[in-house]
Amino acid sequence: MTAMPRSQAGVERGLVVAAASAFDNGMAKLSRTIVTILLAGRHRAVGGRILRERAANLARIAKAYSRAELEAERGLGPARATEVEHWLSGQGLSLRLEQEHSASAVAGAAAARVGIAEKAPGSEV
């Protein structure tokens, strides 16, 4: 087993410390593993640019996930995804529904369903 580089170990510790302070207000707590994964996961940017902002916006990050996305994150499976769901529900929030996508994807899918897909100006068929 190889040792974790010193700088990476410091980042990991920083993630956990920042997250611990973010939800140490009486709410049900998430495990360190879940917090670390959420703060470094695919939707981390919705929480802010710096770690302190992301830790303070942990619920915003978590609710940006769909159930399938949570389970797809390395280290999270069905049991930990359920923990996140319960944690969010305790705050009156929930995971993103599978059908919810970006506005452009929704508009494109709606146009295709209705059959409005038109040829772009200047394009050849």
Side-chain angles (χ1 to χ4, degrees):
M1 183 173 187
T2 61
M4 185 182 301
R6 181 175 224 135
S7 61
Q8 187 177 357
V11 169
E12 288 289 322
R13 257 192 311 277
L15 288 172
V16 173
V17 169
S21 65
F23 59 81
D24 192 22
N25 59 4
M27 289 189 283
K29 292 188 178 185
L30 290 173
S31 71
R32 286 182 176 196
T33 301
I34 293 172
V35 170
T36 301
I37 292 168
L38 290 175
L39 291 176
R42 71 179 76 184
H43 293 299
R44 68 185 174 266
V46 301
R49 291 182 60 180
I50 61 174
L51 180 60
R52 189 172 309 255
E53 290 172 349
R54 290 196 307 263
N57 292 311
L58 189 61
R60 179 182 289 175
I61 295 169
K63 74 177 189 169
Y65 280 89
S66 69
R67 174 76 187 215
E69 287 174 330
L70 262 181
E71 291 180 9
E73 285 286 352
R74 185 176 178 178
L76 288 179
R80 287 184 172 150
T82 300
E83 282 184 57
V84 174
E85 279 185 309
H86 288 295
W87 181 74
L88 283 172
S89 69
Q91 299 174 61
L93 302 170
S94 64
L95 293 173
R96 181 176 55 80
L97 298 175
E98 296 292 330
Q99 303 92 307
E100 294 178 15
H101 301 289
S102 68
S104 60
V106 171
R113 266 196 315 267
V114 176
I116 301 178
E118 297 179 17
K119 185 176 103 171
S123 67
E124 296 181 17
V125 178

